[in-house]
Amino acid sequence: MSGTLAPAAAGAQTDAQPPALEWKLWLYTNYDCNLRCSYCVAKSSPNAPRRALGLANVRRLVDEAVDLGFDHVFFTGGEPFILHEIYDMLAYSSARVRTTVLTNATILRGARLEQLTTIANENLSVQVSLDGGRPEHHDAYRGKGSWEKAVAGIRLLQAAGFRVRLGTTETPANSAHLDEICEFHRSLGIPDEDHFVRPLARRGYSKEGLELGMDNLVPELTVNLDGVFWHPLSTDADMQVSKKLFPLAPAVERVQRQLEAIARTGRAPLMTFT
Ligand code: SF4
């Protein structure tokens, strides 16, 4: 996916103190995707309705986020590079704030890669989903042939000068082989600090994995066309914070009040899942 990732050495973590809001804003640009991963938490596929956020909304959200003090904007989907507008979105955002776009990298070549290259700047990073150092560890959940295309996309991005980060979802197909993907990303010149591993979550199409929700996740504000959500793990109704996109400030305040309420209960700390 497209989605949230954890440091390779740590996975989902438990914080010692009640956490503060992470000043990261996640934008679901669209829900359609060229792949059909069986564990997709967003229920994306070639047949998924697009539900596009749109350039005007993205511009306003970036402006409000910068004013509120957010220091990093993430673009996710679906596959964002299906959209013609994605380059304008990324250019607008990365001119104002650190920006990362998540992609499966399988369609990042030719005209798409050329357009992305024209907006390259030091604020803009690309995070690619890669679940293994060998095809079978990746393709088991993402589809036959997708590893080869993803690796080709990574190499093209690197050749174009992009800093590439990798996100790995740990699954029964690759959990015994995570050392292999680390060897592989190092062979590509991608350092350990740019590789993230997260566990499977039981959400969307995934019928296995951790049960995660507003009760146990450190919030990272997330927006789609339908409103504001607690965390990019899911834009299901149980994760919704606000049905209004604008202004963003009341949703931020709501999340902060909820964190304070959680802290007062003294119950188990929330988990990071990024
Ligand atoms: S590439 Fe990402 S968004 Fe697309 S189906 Fe797979 S997990 Fe979902």
Side-chain angles (χ1 to χ4, degrees):
M1 146 174 161
S2 339
T4 53
L5 306 161
Q13 295 178 331
T14 301
D15 294 329
Q17 299 294 325
L21 176 67
E22 297 260 358
W23 291 98
K24 301 175 185 172
L25 181 68
W26 290 80
L27 305 180
Y28 267 84
T29 53
N30 60 301
Y31 284 81
D32 47 339
C33 186
N34 60 308
L35 296 186
R36 192 188 296 276
C37 304
S38 60
Y39 62 21
C40 184
V41 292
K43 289 190 170 179
S44 294
S45 76
N47 305 120
R50 174 155 291 183
R51 298 162 66 196
L53 191 53
L55 180 57
N57 283 332
V58 167
R59 285 183 173 147
R60 185 170 169 189
L61 286 161
V62 168
D63 288 345
E64 291 196 13
V66 170
D67 287 347
L68 288 166
F70 283 84
D71 55 22
H72 199 157
V73 175
F74 293 79
F75 289 76
T76 189
E79 172 50 53
F81 285 100
I82 282 179
L83 301 173
H84 297 305
E85 292 181 314
I86 189 63
Y87 312 97
D88 289 337
M89 292 174 178
L90 296 175
Y92 190 87
S93 181
S94 60
R96 290 158 178 80
V97 65
R98 189 176 165 207
T99 298
T100 297
V101 57
L102 278 66
T103 176
N104 61 45
T106 59
I107 57 172
L108 266 178
R109 56 184 180 273
R112 286 190 175 96
L113 185 63
E114 280 172 29
Q115 285 188 79
L116 182 61
T117 304
T118 64
I119 62 161
N121 65 75
E122 63 181 16
N123 256 357
L124 179 60
S125 298
V126 182
Q127 188 163 303
V128 177
S129 306
L130 192 74
D131 290 350
R134 282 190 272 151
E136 56 266 39
H137 300 154
H138 177 95
D139 292 357
Y141 285 76
R142 292 185 165 266
K144 191 169 170 44
S146 59
W147 185 88
E148 297 278 0
K149 289 180 183 167
V151 172
I154 291 166
R155 292 187 194 279
L156 287 169
L157 283 164
Q158 289 179 308
F162 283 96
R163 176 177 178 174
V164 178
R165 295 186 167 90
L166 295 183
T168 296
T169 300
E170 185 175 353
T171 70
N174 66 13
S175 61
H177 307 280
L178 292 178
D179 53 335
E180 273 187 52
I181 189 171
C182 290
E183 282 172 29
F184 184 68
H185 75 66
R186 289 172 197 139
S187 77
L188 292 171
I190 296 172
D192 290 359
E193 62 263 31
D194 285 346
H195 177 221
F196 308 89
V197 180
R198 72 168 192 179
L200 263 181
R202 190 189 298 263
R203 277 274 173 179
Y205 286 144
S206 179
K207 302 295 178 238
E208 54 189 330
L210 298 178
E211 297 276 2
L212 297 170
M214 284 175 64
D215 282 349
N216 53 13
L217 285 175
V218 173
E220 294 183 22
L221 225 65
T222 300
V223 177
N224 76 0
L225 197 57
D226 302 320
V228 184
F229 297 80
W230 185 262
H231 192 280
L233 169 74
S234 174
T235 52
D236 289 344
D238 66 305
M239 302 281 280
Q240 193 157 22
V241 173
S242 168
K243 290 187 175 170
K244 289 171 64 178
L245 273 67
F246 303 113
L248 208 48
V252 173
E253 288 164 16
R254 200 167 302 160
V255 168
Q256 287 174 319
R257 281 199 305 274
Q258 196 150 339
L259 281 174
E260 288 163 12
I262 290 169
R264 282 196 296 275
T265 67
R267 70 167 210 246
L270 307 180
M271 290 189 297
T272 58
F273 194 69
T274 58

